[in-house]
PDB file of all heavy atoms in Angstrom:
ATOM      1  N   PRO A 116    -149.983 -79.255-150.812  1.00 91.00           N
ATOM      2  CA  PRO A 116    -149.960 -79.396-149.343  1.00 91.00           C
ATOM      3  C   PRO A 116    -151.258 -78.949-148.675  1.00 91.00           C
ATOM      4  O   PRO A 116    -151.663 -79.520-147.663  1.00 91.00           O
ATOM      5  CB  PRO A 116    -148.780 -78.506-148.927  1.00 91.00           C
ATOM      6  CG  PRO A 116    -147.883 -78.485-150.127  1.00 91.00           C
ATOM      7  CD  PRO A 116    -148.813 -78.494-151.301  1.00 91.00           C
ATOM      8  N   VAL A 117    -151.905 -77.939-149.256  1.00 90.00           N
ATOM      9  CA  VAL A 117    -153.186 -77.487-148.698  1.00 90.00           C
ATOM     10  C   VAL A 117    -154.249 -78.567-148.880  1.00 90.00           C
ATOM     11  O   VAL A 117    -155.013 -78.883-147.959  1.00 90.00           O
ATOM     12  CB  VAL A 117    -153.626 -76.170-149.361  1.00 90.00           C
ATOM     13  CG1 VAL A 117    -155.023 -75.763-148.881  1.00 90.00           C
ATOM     14  CG2 VAL A 117    -152.629 -75.063-149.065  1.00 90.00           C
ATOM     15  N   LEU A 118    -154.303 -79.153-150.068  1.00 88.00           N
ATOM     16  CA  LEU A 118    -155.262 -80.233-150.318  1.00 88.00           C
ATOM     17  C   LEU A 118    -154.984 -81.436-149.429  1.00 88.00           C
ATOM     18  O   LEU A 118    -155.909 -82.039-148.864  1.00 88.00           O
ATOM     19  CB  LEU A 118    -155.203 -80.648-151.791  1.00 88.00           C
ATOM     20  CG  LEU A 118    -155.644 -79.597-152.814  1.00 88.00           C
ATOM     21  CD1 LEU A 118    -155.454 -80.120-154.230  1.00 88.00           C
ATOM     22  CD2 LEU A 118    -157.105 -79.224-152.595  1.00 88.00           C
ATOM     23  N   ALA A 119    -153.707 -81.788-149.293  1.00 92.00           N
ATOM     24  CA  ALA A 119    -153.356 -82.924-148.450  1.00 92.00           C
ATOM     25  C   ALA A 119    -153.715 -82.657-146.991  1.00 92.00           C
ATOM     26  O   ALA A 119    -154.228 -83.547-146.295  1.00 92.00           O
ATOM     27  CB  ALA A 119    -151.867 -83.230-148.577  1.00 92.00           C
ATOM     28  N   GLY A 120    -153.466 -81.441-146.532  1.00 91.00           N
ATOM     29  CA  GLY A 120    -153.820 -81.090-145.161  1.00 91.00           C
ATOM     30  C   GLY A 120    -155.319 -81.132-144.917  1.00 91.00           C
ATOM     31  O   GLY A 120    -155.779 -81.594-143.865  1.00 91.00           O
ATOM     32  N   PHE A 121    -156.077 -80.676-145.903  1.00 88.00           N
ATOM     33  CA  PHE A 121    -157.535 -80.717-145.780  1.00 88.00           C
ATOM     34  C   PHE A 121    -158.035 -82.150-145.707  1.00 88.00           C
ATOM     35  O   PHE A 121    -158.892 -82.490-144.872  1.00 88.00           O
ATOM     36  CB  PHE A 121    -158.165 -79.987-146.965  1.00 88.00           C
ATOM     37  CG  PHE A 121    -159.663 -80.106-147.024  1.00 88.00           C
ATOM     38  CD1 PHE A 121    -160.460 -79.378-146.161  1.00 88.00           C
ATOM     39  CD2 PHE A 121    -160.270 -80.946-147.944  1.00 88.00           C
ATOM     40  CE1 PHE A 121    -161.840 -79.491-146.210  1.00 88.00           C
ATOM     41  CE2 PHE A 121    -161.639 -81.064-148.004  1.00 88.00           C
ATOM     42  CZ  PHE A 121    -162.433 -80.338-147.132  1.00 88.00           C
ATOM     43  N   GLN A 122    -157.507 -83.014-146.582  1.00 89.00           N
ATOM     44  CA  GLN A 122    -157.918 -84.412-146.575  1.00 89.00           C
ATOM     45  C   GLN A 122    -157.527 -85.095-145.267  1.00 89.00           C
ATOM     46  O   GLN A 122    -158.304 -85.876-144.695  1.00 89.00           O
ATOM     47  CB  GLN A 122    -157.289 -85.152-147.760  1.00 89.00           C
ATOM     48  CG  GLN A 122    -157.775 -84.687-149.121  1.00 89.00           C
ATOM     49  CD  GLN A 122    -159.219 -85.097-149.389  1.00 89.00           C
ATOM     50  OE1 GLN A 122    -159.755 -85.970-148.746  1.00 89.00           O
ATOM     51  NE2 GLN A 122    -159.843 -84.461-150.351  1.00 89.00           N
ATOM     52  N   ALA A 123    -156.323 -84.812-144.789  1.00 91.00           N
ATOM     53  CA  ALA A 123    -155.868 -85.426-143.534  1.00 91.00           C
ATOM     54  C   ALA A 123    -156.716 -84.957-142.356  1.00 91.00           C
ATOM     55  O   ALA A 123    -157.095 -85.764-141.488  1.00 91.00           O
ATOM     56  CB  ALA A 123    -154.398 -85.091-143.295  1.00 91.00           C
ATOM     57  N   ALA A 124    -157.020 -83.666-142.311  1.00 89.00           N
ATOM     58  CA  ALA A 124    -157.841 -83.142-141.219  1.00 89.00           C
ATOM     59  C   ALA A 124    -159.250 -83.731-141.261  1.00 89.00           C
ATOM     60  O   ALA A 124    -159.823 -84.076-140.218  1.00 89.00           O
ATOM     61  CB  ALA A 124    -157.895 -81.619-141.296  1.00 89.00           C
ATOM     62  N   SER A 125    -159.809 -83.864-142.460  1.00 88.00           N
ATOM     63  CA  SER A 125    -161.148 -84.449-142.591  1.00 88.00           C
ATOM     64  C   SER A 125    -161.144 -85.903-142.117  1.00 88.00           C
ATOM     65  O   SER A 125    -162.059 -86.336-141.407  1.00 88.00           O
ATOM     66  CB  SER A 125    -161.617 -84.368-144.047  1.00 88.00           C
ATOM     67  OG  SER A 125    -161.687 -83.036-144.487  1.00 88.00           O
ATOM     68  N   GLY A 126    -160.116 -86.655-142.523  1.00 89.00           N
ATOM     69  CA  GLY A 126    -160.019 -88.042-142.082  1.00 89.00           C
ATOM     70  C   GLY A 126    -159.882 -88.165-140.581  1.00 89.00           C
ATOM     71  O   GLY A 126    -160.494 -89.039-139.955  1.00 89.00           O
ATOM     72  N   TRP A 127    -159.084 -87.278-139.969  1.00 88.00           N
ATOM     73  CA  TRP A 127    -158.919 -87.322-138.521  1.00 88.00           C
ATOM     74  C   TRP A 127    -160.231 -87.010-137.809  1.00 88.00           C
ATOM     75  O   TRP A 127    -160.590 -87.663-136.819  1.00 88.00           O
ATOM     76  CB  TRP A 127    -157.848 -86.328-138.088  1.00 88.00           C
ATOM     77  CG  TRP A 127    -157.819 -86.120-136.598  1.00 88.00           C
ATOM     78  CD1 TRP A 127    -158.235 -85.024-135.904  1.00 88.00           C
ATOM     79  CD2 TRP A 127    -157.371 -87.060-135.617  1.00 88.00           C
ATOM     80  NE1 TRP A 127    -158.078 -85.209-134.565  1.00 88.00           N
ATOM     81  CE2 TRP A 127    -157.544 -86.456-134.352  1.00 88.00           C
ATOM     82  CE3 TRP A 127    -156.847 -88.350-135.683  1.00 88.00           C
ATOM     83  CZ2 TRP A 127    -157.214 -87.101-133.172  1.00 88.00           C
ATOM     84  CZ3 TRP A 127    -156.517 -88.990-134.496  1.00 88.00           C
ATOM     85  CH2 TRP A 127    -156.695 -88.370-133.263  1.00 88.00           C
ATOM     86  N   ILE A 128    -160.975 -86.006-138.293  1.00 87.00           N
ATOM     87  CA  ILE A 128    -162.249 -85.648-137.668  1.00 87.00           C
ATOM     88  C   ILE A 128    -163.224 -86.814-137.747  1.00 87.00           C
ATOM     89  O   ILE A 128    -163.930 -87.129-136.779  1.00 87.00           O
ATOM     90  CB  ILE A 128    -162.840 -84.390-138.329  1.00 87.00           C
ATOM     91  CG1 ILE A 128    -161.969 -83.175-138.012  1.00 87.00           C
ATOM     92  CG2 ILE A 128    -164.267 -84.143-137.849  1.00 87.00           C
ATOM     93  CD1 ILE A 128    -162.384 -81.915-138.744  1.00 87.00           C
ATOM     94  N   MET A 129    -163.266 -87.489-138.895  1.00 86.00           N
ATOM     95  CA  MET A 129    -164.182 -88.626-139.042  1.00 86.00           C
ATOM     96  C   MET A 129    -163.763 -89.788-138.154  1.00 86.00           C
ATOM     97  O   MET A 129    -164.606 -90.436-137.507  1.00 86.00           O
ATOM     98  CB  MET A 129    -164.238 -89.060-140.511  1.00 86.00           C
ATOM     99  CG  MET A 129    -164.832 -88.022-141.437  1.00 86.00           C
ATOM    100  SD  MET A 129    -165.023 -88.608-143.120  1.00 86.00           S
ATOM    101  CE  MET A 129    -166.316 -89.826-142.893  1.00 86.00           C
ATOM    102  N   ALA A 130    -162.458 -90.071-138.082  1.00 87.00           N
ATOM    103  CA  ALA A 130    -161.985 -91.167-137.231  1.00 87.00           C
ATOM    104  C   ALA A 130    -162.230 -90.853-135.754  1.00 87.00           C
ATOM    105  O   ALA A 130    -162.712 -91.706-134.995  1.00 87.00           O
ATOM    106  CB  ALA A 130    -160.502 -91.419-137.490  1.00 87.00           C
ATOM    107  N   ALA A 131    -161.901 -89.632-135.348  1.00 87.00           N
ATOM    108  CA  ALA A 131    -162.117 -89.250-133.948  1.00 87.00           C
ATOM    109  C   ALA A 131    -163.600 -89.251-133.603  1.00 87.00           C
ATOM    110  O   ALA A 131    -163.993 -89.650-132.498  1.00 87.00           O
ATOM    111  CB  ALA A 131    -161.505 -87.871-133.689  1.00 87.00           C
TER     112      ALA A 131
END
Side-chain angles (χ1 to χ4, degrees):
V117 175
L118 295 177
F121 173 75
Q122 294 289 342
S125 299
W127 168 253
I128 292 174
M129 295 185 69

